């Protein structure tokens, strides 16, 4: 909703509220002049409008924050998936590592490698391949070296 539409809605709401307040306060207004009643209704309406505006602003801020958090979560998940795919692609290019199953897990830039490596050198290479991928902040190399 643009600002002018929002302002028109606020004016209509304030006017309706003013008429409602004026009608509800008849008993309390018995000793007041028409001007005093109008001043009282305007003051109450302004107070209600300020509260409504504050509530609307808070709701808009909360919605914006929720959307931002959801967007960040989606970006993080997409980044993790692309990092995992890039690490897997790098492992497949290595002739010694492509023949075995290495599980690659990525969360917030941290890559965890699990499975077996045919040698210590291959295990080290797998860690180096993962570290070389853009967006990787660290690598937990849990590969075990195959015995024998």
């Amino acid at each position: 909703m643009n600002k002018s539409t929002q302002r028109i809605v606020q004016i209509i709401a304030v006017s309706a509220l003013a008429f409602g307040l004026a009608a509800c306060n008849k008993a309390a207004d018995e000793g007041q002049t028409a001007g005093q009643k109008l001043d009282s209704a305007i003051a109450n309406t302004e107070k209600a409008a300020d509260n409504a505006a504050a509530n609307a602003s808070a709701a808009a801020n909360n919605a914006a924050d929720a959307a931002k958090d959801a967007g960040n979560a989606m970006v993080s998940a997409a980044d993790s998936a692309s990092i995992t795919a890039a690490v897997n692609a790098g492992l497949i290019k290595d002739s010694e590592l492509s023949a075995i199953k290495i599980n690659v897990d990525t969360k917030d830039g941290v890559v965890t490698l699990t499975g077996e490596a045919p040698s210590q050198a291959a295990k080290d290479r797998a860690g180096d391949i993962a570290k070389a991928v853009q967006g990787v902040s660290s690598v937990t190399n849990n590969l075990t070296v195959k015995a024998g």
Side-chain angles (χ1 to χ4, degrees):
M1 187 180 321
N2 66 31
K3 287 199 181 266
S4 68
T5 305
Q6 186 178 15
R7 185 69 181 151
I8 290 170
V9 170
Q10 287 175 341
I11 290 170
I12 292 170
V14 167
S15 299
L17 189 57
F19 289 122
L21 288 173
C24 291
N25 287 333
K26 284 190 182 206
D29 295 341
E30 288 301 320
Q32 294 182 334
T33 67
Q36 290 172 327
K37 290 177 186 178
L38 182 58
D39 288 344
S40 177
I42 290 172
N44 287 338
T45 301
E46 287 175 346
K47 199 180 301 181
D50 288 344
N51 288 341
N55 289 340
S57 177
N61 287 339
N62 289 341
D65 289 345
K68 182 179 175 183
D69 291 345
N72 287 341
M74 287 173 51
V75 167
S76 178
D79 288 347
S80 293
S82 65
I83 289 171
T84 298
V87 171
N88 279 322
L91 294 174
I92 288 170
K93 291 178 185 176
D94 185 289
S95 61
E96 213 176 354
L97 296 171
S98 65
I100 60 171
K101 176 66 177 150
I102 296 176
N103 292 319
V104 180
D105 244 350
T106 307
K107 181 168 172 71
D108 298 327
V110 178
V111 173
T112 303
L113 303 174
T114 55
E116 284 188 348
S119 66
Q120 183 63 44
K123 174 183 176 177
D124 294 342
R125 260 194 334 275
D128 292 340
I129 289 169
K131 287 176 192 169
V133 171
Q134 184 176 4
V136 173
S137 58
S138 67
V139 175
T140 303
N141 192 340
N142 293 332
L143 294 176
T144 57
V145 177
K146 205 186 319 182

